[in-house]
Amino acid sequence: MIGSLDLLLRLLTAAALSGVIGINRGRLEWTAGLRTHMLVAVGAALAIIVSAFGFADVLNNPHVVLDPSRIAAQVVTGVGFLGAGTILFVERDQIVRGLTTAASLWAVASVGLAAGSGMYVGAVIATAIIWVILALLKPLERRLTGKPKRRPRLTARLTGSSALSVFEKALGEHHLPFAKTILRREPDGDDVVTVLFTRPVRRDQLAVLADALRDLEGFKSVSYDAPEDKARRS
């Protein structure tokens, strides 16, 4: 059976190491901050401790076999569901946010498992690597990959039951390649349609389409946005 001092040391190690990661995420005001990371790591550490030592009194019984790795596997799987709650799809920018936060939660769970199993050196090294990845590699990543350009897009606010069909017909007449159409119903009953185009669509092509749509009945406003220019609104 594990001693009380050793138990305290393992749990405190998990809390302290995950706190290093949590402070970095909280400083950037991400969804999961200091407390969330510490709770995940301490919970993971306690889970592996219970798995390894919590059933010592029944091991002397015949035909009883203990496999501590089963709890560790369940922790890794369970934290995956928790991390999924931090992932958001931003419709306006067509991007996914929160993947790095979800990954950091999954990583600190592994740090907690390592600390809970007494692998202090491994837990410390992993924490250092995770911190470097989250805190120091982001500027390098931005320099190497660059900021992705927004797709050309056109947004129209429609009113009336026939406006949407008119919009689709006008879009087809201009033969512009579009990748996706997003329709959103506003509380006042109007429809807001956003069309995302592929890269070859130029600013002047969107301007021609926007001017044509403004003359149609049922269109309250039309705006367009090309990567090389700021949005123009009517």
Side-chain angles (χ1 to χ4, degrees):
M1 186 65 183
I2 187 173
S4 299
L5 184 59
D6 193 12
L7 173 63
L8 178 62
L9 178 61
R10 296 186 185 199
L11 294 178
L12 288 179
T13 300
L17 294 179
S18 60
V20 173
I21 307 301
I23 288 175
N24 173 261
R25 304 308 291 168
R27 180 176 58 84
L28 299 175
E29 296 183 355
W30 292 114
T31 306
L34 174 64
R35 293 183 299 169
T36 303
H37 282 77
M38 293 180 69
L39 286 172
V40 169
V42 172
L46 182 59
I48 195 65
I49 291 172
V50 171
S51 179
F53 303 102
F55 307 100
D57 55 338
V58 300
L59 287 179
N60 295 327
N61 296 335
H63 309 297
V64 174
V65 179
L66 177 65
D67 182 11
S69 64
R70 294 182 62 186
I71 297 296
Q74 296 301 317
V75 168
V76 173
T77 303
V79 172
F81 286 99
L82 179 63
T86 68
I87 300 175
L88 302 173
F89 176 70
V90 183
E91 181 182 83
R92 178 176 60 85
D93 296 324
Q94 293 294 299
I95 58 176
V96 177
R97 295 188 181 274
L99 284 176
T100 304
T101 299
S104 69
L105 287 175
W106 184 83
V108 297
S110 299
V111 170
L113 291 173
S117 60
M119 299 177 60
Y120 299 116
V121 175
V124 171
I125 293 176
T127 301
I129 294 175
I130 294 170
W131 187 86
V132 169
I133 292 173
L134 292 176
L136 301 182
L137 290 189
K138 191 170 184 178
L140 178 61
E141 179 186 21
R142 287 179 174 176
R143 177 176 297 181
L144 293 176
T145 62
K147 185 178 180 181
K149 293 183 178 180
R150 286 166 55 90
R151 286 183 176 180
R153 66 187 59 202
L154 183 141
T155 302
R157 189 179 185 93
L158 315 178
T159 182
S161 57
S162 62
L164 183 59
S165 60
V166 173
F167 176 77
E168 294 175 348
K169 181 179 179 180
L171 185 63
E173 291 175 349
H174 284 75
H175 306 290
L176 297 180
F178 62 92
K180 184 183 296 185
T181 301
I182 303 171
L183 176 63
R184 185 176 69 253
R185 176 59 59 88
E186 295 295 301
D188 58 3
D190 291 343
D191 293 322
V192 175
V193 182
T194 300
V195 181
L196 304 180
F197 298 92
T198 55
R199 299 290 182 193
V201 176
R202 302 186 309 274
R203 174 172 76 246
D204 56 332
Q205 292 177 303
L206 292 180
V208 172
L209 176 59
D211 291 339
L213 292 175
R214 293 186 184 110
D215 296 333
L216 299 178
E217 184 179 356
F219 285 75
K220 285 188 173 181
S221 64
V222 179
S223 64
Y224 63 91
D225 184 11
E228 65 272 22
D229 193 20
K230 296 182 180 180
R232 297 184 178 181
R233 301 185 179 276
S234 62

